[in-house]
Amino acid sequence: MPTTAAAKPVNGHNQGIFHNTTGFSTLITVTVLTLAWLAGFASRLFAVIRFESIIHEFDPWFNYRSTAYMVEHGFYNFLNWFDERAWYPLGRIVGGTVYPGLMLTSGTIHWLLHALNIPIHIRDICVFLAPVFSGLTAIATYLLTSELWSRGAGLFAACFIAIVPGYSSRSVAGSYDNEGIAIFALQFTYYLWLKSVKSGSVFWSICTALSYFYMVSAWGGYVFIINLIPLHVFVLLIMGRFSQRLFVSYTVFYIIGLVFSMQIPFVGFQPIRTSEHMAASGVFALLMVVGALKYLHSLNPKGEWKQLLVLGTLVAAGAVFLAVVALTYMGVIAPWSGRFYSLWDTGYAKIHIPIIASVSEHQPTTWSSFFFDLHVLVCTFPVGLWYCIKNINDERVFVALYAISAVYFAGVMVRLMLTLTPVVCVLSGIAFSIILELVLREDDPTQAPVETEESKNLYDKAGKVKKRAPEPVQTQDQGLGLYARPGTVIAFMILLMLFSVHCTWATSNAYSSPSIVLASYGNDGSRRILDDFREAYGWLSQNTAEDARIMSWWDYGYQIAGMGNRTTLVDNNTWNNSHIALVGKAMASNESAAYEIMSMLDVDYVLVIFGGAIGYSGDDINKFIWMVRIAEGEHPKDIHEADYFTERGEYRIDAEGSKTMLNCLMYKLSYYRYDSGGSPPGYDRTRNAMPGNRGFKLTYLEESYTTEHWLVRIYRVKKRDEFNRPRVPISKRTISTSNSISKKTSKRRKGLLKNKPTVVKGKKMRLE
Amino acid sequence: MIVKMSSEIPARNKMRICVVYLLFIFTICGSTNVDTVSSDIKIKNVDRIIDCSSQLVKTTSKITLENSGKAPIKSFLLAIENVLKDHISFLGVKDSHNKDLRLIETTVKGYDYIKFYRVELKDAINAGSSSILTAESVFTKALQPYPTAITQQEDQLVKFNGNLYFFSPYYVISQKTNVILNTKSVESFTKVKPFSQLDGTLIFGTYSNIGPFTEKELSVHFKNNSPFLTVTRVERLIEVSHWGNIAVEEKIEIEHTGAKLSGPFSRYHYQQDHHSGPASVRSYKTLLPASAADVYYRDTNGNISTSNMKVKKDSVELDLRPRYPLFGGWKTHYTLGYNVPSYEYVYHSGNEYLLKMRVIDHIVDDMQVDELVTKVILPEGVHNIKINFPYSITKLPDTLHYTYLDTQGRPVISFTKKNIVENHIQDFQLRYTFPTIIMLREPLIVVGSLYALFLCVIIYVRLDFSIHKPEHAHKD
């Protein structure tokens, strides 16, 4: 690991034989950052090396699909893209419902490379975008940390963030998602914000606003920035650290950032209409009031204004708060959204929005995952935080707030671990830097002047980094003995080594699975690839009608659209809860009731994931209880969660399972003709049980395709003339068909003449 | 041998003259392609073998020609019967020394509805003597699945409709036809005595004294579970690099054109019983050149992980399994690519180069290809391009292709042909001029641009571009 080896000399070797110490330290900085970039890039390539250059998981498939669309049709067509392949029959206005930053970034890279005649496929750009951006994140973290503490700490932080699993979990090659570029934007915005607070220059504030604009275009997490920066300003006000610099930087940033953020179609008027953004406007108003009062105070600085200043500030704060509350009640400002609520009340989602609770990454974080994602950093970052608070200044207030809020959010949702990781790296970088500086310092009093001289002489870009001589540290240098130093150094080297080993291991084992290609290992170590997902999607894309509509649970919506190129009913953009509930209801109903729903929704094929044959636990039967819950939320009369449990409250699929469970569509589609698998034929390996209902026949659907390992099963929904008809001898059949049938088949596809009642014996008519 | 030229690349006078000249020859040939049936020729005996065991119908006819006239004959006519006229893909004739003879498509007055080929003999047949020739023809889509749709468990039955007699503009004295089916389960066949059925073969004849242009329906309805794979489109891309490599990439769309699958697909039955789905195709073999390396097999969703590669002495054998088994009516598509060393295919003397490669390569055994588009990308700076084809091919307009470090674009020669079978796997010859010095251009571009970059950095670092002197670091 380059971290320790190269970061050391920055602090220790400054007064060596080299005349040009600035050039030398710049060289080291550039080398370390380049190596960090390389190490970060390389450690994210496990999936590409083990499998192939492929887009992972679910959401990335949508991002990839829309990027490909944008590259093919141009940016403006992308903004106006109405995707009729999603949310049938509603469709989706993609341009207005995505954060286009990701697509724009890779589209721009694609355009640039093709302008240089480098014919790289857009898929490869998408796959490698996140690892490349991890390098940029490392640099942004370096800048942020050196702004906060020192360049040595910055190099530590850069090396940490390059490989830490908490960040690489979201940015391995192939996980083409907003977070991949957003963390870079986040860190860079914070860096620029600190820069502007420090300098009070309009230039840096505008840069902050521009960087914030990029962040808004890239990820919904921009709300974190637009709340944290006002919080920073607010706390500074409370601490009595108001300054002209703060005033200039925040007002410029707020106004320009606001105007910019409203340019993103998906964000639109939200920054002035929703509660999530109100803190920023409130602080803006407050800052104005404080600025005005300060000005008045400066006119007559003789004391009697002082109480007025404090009182005025308090009144203004109260007025702003009351105004926001009043506007919320009047309905001008939208109240907090459910997702935001669930950050404060962890039980909220479970009761009110099961669709959010059903996603595993929205669960509260466990202690072990803190350690898993951050390893030794989780222990060292309080040290950095302590030093920051101890030597407080305007910027360190910011990083303290950043750390405290991020720790809270990371505790609420596993997913928000991602926002904690950068600040942990920053603070741990500071901690390691302090400790090593302490240990490695030679007892030479000339060191301090050298360092300050150095900061004057910097002539290239790095020269703009302002150096802060960590004076308090120097005073504590006395207590270290002769043997304590090498001992501490060795201990810390070992820690860092363990850290890097853990990072590589965690990235490789936990975060580098593409999840659309599964691999299993035989007893002899040979690898078997289970490629069932792509088998099924490939089948769909080649062997079904172009406009066929596929019903599946929403998890697979993006993949069906991306790989199968077919119309889906619901997908991972879970914007319409009732539509999802309808699909859930169809899956939870018995076959005939489901048929009514399916024909109402014009479903041609049903796709279910069944892991029973190979023991794949993420299949639809295991997710089924969420389908029931979501369906019950919208259709409480028809679906009751309790019906799917046994009397003792167990969720079972064997003979003891409840009758409703054993006859619902999801159960039947999963176990239809399932007789292979474990040692007794038909044994379900995932749930370790023998299915309770076997050998049944399907009336309304027929098996169209099942993949090699039974993982994906596709059924065709029969048309009304295909089932439940009395058998007519062949001789009679030929007489009646000639005209009427051909008419029907030609129009059946368009779905227009469906209302025409077809007489089906012994069946009730459609509900319409 | 038919020669066609690229006429798109401008400013090559020599070539233009050639083109004009060749077009001239062409038009002459076109206008004179009217023949008459010589009454001097008689066919003594025809031994015909119709092989229906695969998805193609391959006929091999041993024809004994007799010159009953006075003058020696230099050419004779072959005719294709109406039933199979639209299915013919390949026709070749060899003489007794196993030498290929030249064929020219022609017409005969009064028989406009029949397709004729004039065969030009190498050695003329003198009056009274006879000569043995072998005509080989391949018909695609001549076997019709009947019934057109079957369930998963059923066997595929196909029907062949042909001519019971050897179709010829000449009088045939005696003839015999063997129909190879490779199966005993024959539903029905035309019964014109004398005939016999032996193992997997139907033998018709000997019939004697059949007049010219006699057609009588021969219909065979039998089981044929061999893979009915039609390659609906192949795009073959050959990228020649003078640094020692030729990259070949084929984009292939394939469809099972046998009896369509009706009713459900049952994975259970397909897995339990290996004989289930007898007409389906689980995998097939593709042969690549022996020197092929870096083979990849993927589609738009990424690698197709189910394939095996075996390196043999004279070829590389790929066992390709599509993502899913192909039943009747199911389609799939994929991209297959590999590299071959250029010394095996590019020959040169000085700056003159000759590229000899296959127009199309093997895809499936007994393949039938509906449409082929081959594109040859030559290095940048190539000029004087001339191309020879082994058979008639439609040339497409030349284009330019831009890739790494290109400035003026690489010439792309493309051509297309429809209805192709294995017999069409033959070499085309592409001649061009390429000054070797041009190879240095791309490394020089890289070196030059890096040099410029470093120069810029050096200048930027040495000079002070700021408007005013930077102040001291801000103190909080």
Side-chain angles (χ1 to χ4, degrees):
Chain A
M1 228 193 81
T3 322
T4 52
K8 240 187 315 174
V10 174
N11 300 315
H13 261 284
N14 273 339
Q15 13 126 5
I17 49 164
F18 296 91
H19 293 295
N20 191 355
T21 43
T22 18
F24 187 58
S25 67
T26 309
L27 178 68
I28 285 175
T29 312
V30 171
T31 315
V32 171
L33 287 180
T34 314
L35 286 176
W37 191 329
L38 280 178
F41 185 80
S43 76
R44 284 165 170 79
L45 297 185
F46 282 110
V48 172
I49 291 162
R50 277 192 207 135
F51 296 94
E52 58 188 281
S53 167
I54 192 183
I55 306 287
H56 292 187
E57 295 199 310
F58 307 103
D59 285 15
W61 272 101
F62 168 76
N63 297 329
Y64 167 59
R65 181 167 162 249
S66 32
T67 310
Y69 185 91
M70 192 186 81
V71 166
E72 197 183 333
H73 296 96
F75 177 64
Y76 287 102
N77 285 323
F78 167 67
L79 276 188
N80 292 325
W81 181 23
F82 180 79
D83 181 12
E84 71 279 5
R85 286 266 149 106
W87 293 93
Y88 183 86
L90 308 166
R92 174 181 177 188
I93 305 156
V94 176
T97 54
V98 289
Y99 292 103
L102 185 68
M103 295 96 197
L104 272 178
T105 309
S106 31
T108 309
I109 296 172
H110 183 260
W111 174 81
L112 207 72
L113 291 178
H114 277 247
L116 294 170
N117 287 334
I118 299 178
I120 288 183
H121 195 271
I122 185 69
R123 182 184 53 229
D124 293 323
I125 292 172
C126 293
V127 165
F128 293 105
L129 188 74
V132 167
F133 263 74
S134 75
L136 292 176
T137 311
I139 290 170
T141 307
Y142 162 75
L143 292 173
L144 178 66
T145 318
S146 23
E147 207 56 36
L148 280 167
W149 201 268
S150 68
R151 294 172 76 184
L155 291 179
F156 265 115
C159 295
F160 289 148
I161 192 115
I163 56 166
V164 69
Y167 175 45
S168 64
S169 65
R170 291 297 181 143
S171 58
V172 293
S175 93
Y176 176 58
D177 216 342
N178 295 332
E179 289 94 327
I181 62 168
I183 296 302
F184 159 69
L186 185 85
Q187 291 290 83
F188 200 60
T189 311
Y190 286 158
Y191 158 68
L192 291 169
W193 166 246
L194 291 191
K195 199 88 188 151
S196 71
V197 169
K198 239 170 152 175
S199 62
S201 99
V202 176
F203 170 73
W204 288 114
S205 304
I206 289 176
C207 287
T208 316
L210 281 172
S211 175
Y212 171 66
F213 175 50
Y214 182 61
M215 175 74 185
V216 175
S217 76
W219 192 34
Y222 76 89
V223 178
F224 184 49
I225 298 184
I226 203 60
N227 281 302
L228 187 61
I229 288 179
L231 182 69
H232 179 213
V233 175
F234 187 67
V235 172
L236 285 181
L237 285 184
I238 290 175
M239 290 169 74
R241 284 174 168 266
F242 175 84
S243 65
Q244 289 299 319
R245 286 177 285 113
L246 183 68
F247 184 79
V248 170
S249 52
Y250 184 69
T251 45
V252 171
F253 160 74
Y254 175 68
I255 294 298
I256 295 180
L258 181 77
V259 172
F260 274 149
S261 66
M262 284 163 70
Q263 306 308 311
I264 304 297
F266 189 31
V267 176
F269 280 95
Q270 276 181 41
I272 52 170
R273 296 295 296 273
T274 59
S275 294
E276 284 92 338
H277 300 78
M278 277 307 120
S281 352
V283 167
F284 177 70
L286 195 64
L287 198 64
M288 283 294 174
V289 171
V290 173
L293 289 170
K294 278 269 177 182
Y295 176 69
L296 290 178
H297 180 62
S298 71
L299 291 181
N300 188 359
K302 289 245 177 79
E304 56 260 43
W305 290 87
K306 185 132 195 191
Q307 276 104 14
L308 186 66
L309 181 69
V310 175
L311 196 72
T313 312
L314 285 177
V315 170
V320 167
F321 183 72
L322 286 177
V324 170
V325 171
L327 284 174
T328 311
Y329 269 101
M330 283 159 65
V332 180
I333 299 172
W336 282 341
S337 65
R339 274 169 209 250
F340 208 65
Y341 263 126
S342 57
L343 285 181
W344 311 114
D345 178 5
T346 46
Y348 180 86
K350 213 164 216 171
I351 306 160
H352 299 279
I353 337 167
I355 204 154
I356 291 181
S358 72
V359 181
S360 62
E361 61 181 23
H362 290 162
Q363 305 302 321
T365 319
T366 55
W367 281 110
S368 59
S369 78
F370 272 102
F371 186 75
F372 189 80
D373 278 358
L374 301 169
H375 197 249
V376 68
L377 303 187
V378 84
C379 314
T380 52
F381 97 98
V383 179
L385 187 60
W386 185 75
Y387 271 106
C388 278
I389 291 174
K390 209 173 160 218
N391 307 301
I392 201 85
N393 62 20
D394 286 359
E395 307 94 78
R396 292 177 192 161
V397 170
F398 178 78
V399 81
L401 291 171
Y402 183 7
I404 292 163
S405 52
V407 166
Y408 174 76
F409 291 130
V412 174
M413 260 190 206
V414 180
R415 193 181 171 182
L416 294 179
M417 199 69 183
L418 191 64
T419 53
L420 173 66
T421 308
V423 70
V424 163
C425 291
V426 168
L427 290 175
S428 300
I430 292 174
F432 271 94
S433 159
I434 289 167
I435 290 160
L436 283 184
E437 210 164 304
L438 204 64
V439 171
L440 291 175
R441 163 149 343 100
E442 291 162 37
D443 301 319
D444 192 349
T446 57
Q447 193 193 0
V450 170
E451 272 197 25
T452 43
E453 192 184 44
E454 172 200 323
S455 61
K456 278 179 211 157
N457 286 351
L458 296 177
Y459 54 82
D460 66 348
K461 219 180 162 192
K464 280 156 200 152
V465 174
K466 268 151 214 136
K467 196 98 186 198
R468 198 163 311 276
E471 291 148 42
V473 185
Q474 289 172 14
T475 56
Q476 301 169 356
D477 191 24
Q478 270 72 38
L480 285 174
L482 196 63
Y483 299 106
R485 283 186 181 180
T488 325
V489 171
I490 289 168
F492 274 91
M493 291 303 123
I494 289 174
L495 265 187
L496 288 174
M497 233 148 67
L498 286 177
F499 171 72
S500 59
V501 168
H502 171 82
C503 286
T504 318
W505 174 81
T507 310
S508 146
N509 285 295
Y511 298 128
S512 291
S513 157
S515 93
I516 54 167
V517 190
L518 309 170
S520 69
Y521 293 87
N523 290 331
D524 53 345
S526 63
R527 192 171 71 147
R528 219 157 49 106
I529 286 184
L530 308 180
D531 212 352
D532 283 36
F533 286 107
R534 285 192 289 178
E535 182 184 344
Y537 299 137
W539 186 86
L540 275 180
S541 74
Q542 294 294 312
N543 299 313
T544 58
E546 191 83 351
D547 59 347
R549 292 159 290 265
I550 322 288
M551 182 171 94
S552 75
W553 191 233
W554 61 263
D555 296 24
Y556 309 102
Y558 279 164
Q559 290 185 349
I560 294 172
M563 282 183 268
N565 197 15
R566 289 293 175 268
T567 309
T568 57
L569 270 71
V570 292
D571 64 29
N572 310 47
N573 172 32
T574 53
W575 64 278
N576 189 331
N577 192 42
S578 63
H579 213 55
I580 293 178
L582 208 55
V583 171
K585 188 185 171 189
M587 294 294 191
S589 312
N590 63 38
E591 216 189 322
S592 57
Y595 186 75
E596 296 304 326
I597 298 172
M598 289 190 294
S599 47
M600 208 160 77
L601 292 170
D602 284 349
V603 176
D604 293 313
Y605 293 90
V606 185
L607 179 145
V608 296
I609 309 293
F610 172 64
I614 51 163
Y616 174 74
S617 61
D619 70 350
D620 274 349
I621 291 278
N622 279 1
K623 286 175 187 166
F624 181 57
I625 208 64
W626 286 107
M627 302 183 202
V628 173
R629 275 181 200 152
I630 291 164
E632 191 185 6
E634 295 277 328
H635 309 276
K637 277 187 196 163
D638 305 309
I639 306 288
H640 305 285
E641 192 184 335
D643 293 348
Y644 296 85
F645 289 102
T646 59
E647 282 173 15
R648 276 184 288 168
E650 290 166 311
Y651 180 65
R652 303 182 72 138
I653 49 105
D654 56 10
E656 286 174 52
S658 77
K659 220 176 156 197
T660 323
M661 177 75 204
L662 297 188
N663 285 299
C664 69
L665 186 71
M666 178 52 77
Y667 181 93
K668 284 199 167 175
L669 297 190
S670 291
Y671 293 105
Y672 177 66
R673 273 189 184 161
Y674 174 61
D675 279 313
S676 59
S679 39
Y683 186 77
D684 185 333
R685 285 206 215 164
T686 304
R687 284 154 285 272
N688 286 324
M690 202 68 195
N693 183 3
R694 292 177 63 207
F696 51 83
K697 289 206 163 60
L698 292 173
T699 320
Y700 302 94
L701 297 111
E702 73 175 19
E703 186 179 357
S704 262
Y705 191 68
T706 298
T707 56
E708 198 182 347
H709 305 98
W710 295 76
L711 199 52
V712 186
R713 311 200 65 182
I714 301 169
Y715 292 85
R716 191 176 69 86
V717 180
K718 289 185 187 168
K719 302 295 169 198
R720 281 183 186 268
D721 54 343
E722 284 179 85
F723 55 83
N724 215 14
R725 307 186 77 190
R727 181 149 183 90
V728 180
I730 295 166
S731 54
K732 279 191 181 177
R733 245 186 267 170
T734 44
I735 300 166
S736 59
T737 42
S738 56
N739 258 338
S740 58
I741 283 286
S742 64
K743 218 185 245 172
K744 216 186 281 169
T745 44
S746 67
K747 282 172 185 171
R748 201 200 305 153
R749 292 207 158 166
K750 298 193 173 94
L752 286 173
L753 272 194
K754 270 209 163 161
N755 292 344
K756 198 173 163 187
T758 29
V759 180
V760 181
K761 283 198 175 155
K763 278 283 102 200
K764 59 178 175 184
M765 294 305 299
R766 285 170 64 177
L767 313 158
E768 266 184 312
Chain B
M1 200 92 91
I2 294 163
V3 184
K4 260 184 110 183
M5 301 287 311
S6 67
S7 51
E8 261 67 37
I9 296 174
R12 274 147 211 176
N13 286 335
K14 214 175 170 186
M15 265 191 52
R16 205 175 271 168
I17 292 164
C18 276
V19 170
V20 171
Y21 174 68
L22 281 163
L23 282 177
F24 176 68
I25 291 176
F26 247 121
T27 40
I28 290 174
C29 290
S31 59
T32 51
N33 271 354
V34 175
D35 283 69
T36 45
V37 178
S38 157
S39 56
D40 294 345
I41 301 171
K42 271 194 183 127
I43 296 176
K44 238 184 179 169
N45 184 37
V46 176
D47 260 339
R48 193 161 62 132
I49 298 168
I50 304 177
D51 182 357
C52 293
S53 60
S54 69
Q55 61 172 340
L56 302 172
V57 175
K58 300 179 212 166
T59 67
T60 315
S61 316
K62 232 165 115 188
I63 306 164
T64 315
L65 268 188
E66 192 187 46
N67 185 357
S68 58
K70 305 229 158 65
I73 32 174
K74 283 183 181 157
S75 70
F76 74 102
L77 295 176
L78 277 178
I80 306 295
E81 50 266 59
N82 260 329
V83 207
L84 295 172
K85 193 171 77 179
D86 299 328
H87 299 292
I88 181 127
S89 165
F90 175 82
L91 180 67
V93 183
K94 284 178 180 162
D95 64 8
S96 45
H97 307 295
N98 216 13
K99 289 250 172 70
D100 278 316
L101 297 179
R102 205 176 139 184
L103 286 170
I104 292 165
E105 199 171 335
T106 180
T107 50
V108 173
K109 257 201 177 148
Y111 298 101
D112 295 333
Y113 53 94
I114 295 168
K115 228 180 198 174
F116 285 98
Y117 292 87
R118 188 175 66 219
V119 184
E120 314 222 317
L121 295 166
K122 281 219 168 87
D123 316 311
I125 304 171
N126 293 325
S129 63
S130 60
S131 173
I132 297 173
L133 300 157
T134 317
E136 208 181 321
S137 53
V138 181
F139 301 91
T140 54
K141 294 178 184 170
L143 298 178
Q144 295 298 327
Y146 189 83
T148 51
I150 53 172
T151 62
Q152 186 180 336
Q153 307 297 335
E154 281 171 339
D155 285 317
Q156 179 169 272
L157 300 174
V158 296
K159 221 172 190 175
F160 170 67
N161 285 321
N163 192 0
L164 185 63
Y165 305 122
F166 177 71
F167 192 71
S168 165
Y170 308 111
Y171 192 80
V172 183
I173 296 166
S174 86
Q175 59 174 295
K176 197 174 155 192
T177 300
N178 287 14
V179 181
I180 298 173
L181 305 176
N182 264 353
T183 174
K184 276 183 192 169
S185 46
V186 180
E187 298 285 307
S188 65
F189 61 93
T190 309
K191 289 173 181 165
V192 176
K193 276 181 185 167
F195 66 89
S196 63
Q197 187 178 2
L198 203 78
D199 277 343
T201 311
L202 300 176
I203 301 158
F204 296 93
T206 311
Y207 304 117
S208 42
N209 300 330
I210 307 297
F213 302 115
T214 318
E215 276 193 86
K216 189 171 172 75
E217 196 199 29
L218 164 71
S219 166
V220 189
H221 188 201
F222 62 102
K223 180 178 103 177
N224 186 342
N225 277 331
S226 65
F228 270 57
L229 289 179
T230 304
V231 179
T232 45
R233 190 188 150 85
V234 183
E235 205 183 307
R236 186 170 150 91
L237 195 77
I238 300 166
E239 195 170 351
V240 182
S241 158
H242 277 208
W243 293 96
N245 187 56
I246 297 177
V248 182
E249 184 177 274
E250 290 173 341
K251 289 190 180 120
I252 295 168
E253 287 165 26
I254 224 168
E255 185 178 349
H256 190 299
T257 42
K260 291 201 164 37
L261 177 72
S262 75
F265 164 79
S266 166
R267 173 61 72 176
Y268 173 67
H269 291 115
Y270 200 64
Q271 218 161 39
Q272 289 309 110
D273 179 10
H274 209 73
H275 300 293
S276 175
S280 71
V281 180
R282 286 169 204 256
S283 70
Y284 49 85
K285 285 195 169 67
T286 297
L287 300 178
L288 303 180
S291 53
D294 315 325
V295 182
Y296 56 86
Y297 172 50
R298 62 169 75 117
D299 64 5
T300 47
N301 291 339
N303 282 350
I304 303 169
S305 45
T306 42
S307 56
N308 285 311
M309 187 168 115
K310 244 183 266 167
V311 181
K312 292 188 164 177
K313 245 186 200 166
D314 55 345
S315 66
V316 172
E317 187 187 286
L318 287 183
D319 182 25
L320 300 183
R321 246 178 79 194
R323 290 197 188 275
Y324 39 85
L326 292 172
F327 279 88
W330 291 12
K331 287 178 282 188
T332 187
H333 71 103
Y334 61 89
T335 305
L336 185 71
Y338 52 90
N339 291 332
V340 285
S342 60
Y343 64 80
E344 291 189 0
Y345 300 95
V346 180
Y347 309 90
H348 73 110
S349 74
N351 285 341
E352 300 297 317
Y353 287 83
L354 167 69
L355 172 74
K356 245 174 115 174
M357 277 201 98
R358 285 171 173 177
V359 172
I360 188 175
D361 214 331
H362 179 269
I363 298 170
V364 201
D365 284 338
D366 299 317
M367 65 182 185
Q368 52 181 49
V369 179
D370 285 353
E371 192 190 359
L372 162 82
V373 177
T374 304
K375 291 180 179 171
V376 186
I377 301 176
L378 295 170
E380 207 175 16
V382 158
H383 54 276
N384 266 344
I385 304 162
K386 292 168 209 162
I387 188 161
N388 288 356
F389 296 116
Y391 37 78
S392 82
I393 274 184
T394 319
K395 182 99 173 29
L396 295 172
D398 291 346
T399 50
L400 287 175
H401 175 80
Y402 291 91
T403 177
Y404 302 101
L405 302 171
D406 283 353
T407 45
Q408 64 189 57
R410 306 180 178 208
V412 183
I413 314 295
S414 36
F415 41 88
T416 178
K417 183 170 173 63
K418 291 201 156 82
N419 205 1
I420 285 182
V421 290
E422 257 170 48
N423 306 54
H424 288 107
I425 302 179
Q426 293 176 30
D427 286 341
F428 66 86
Q429 297 186 334
L430 213 161
R431 280 165 216 279
Y432 56 87
T433 313
F434 180 73
T436 323
I437 196 81
I438 291 182
M439 286 181 68
L440 283 177
R441 184 168 62 184
E442 297 190 345
L444 283 179
I445 288 175
V446 177
V447 170
S449 49
L450 280 177
Y451 183 76
L453 179 77
F454 287 137
L455 209 64
C456 287
V457 171
I458 289 169
I459 290 171
Y460 175 78
V461 167
R462 300 288 140 156
L463 298 181
D464 186 3
F465 288 98
S466 61
I467 301 171
H468 64 100
K469 282 259 172 249
E471 291 163 33
H472 291 310
H474 200 86
K475 299 243 157 51
D476 286 13

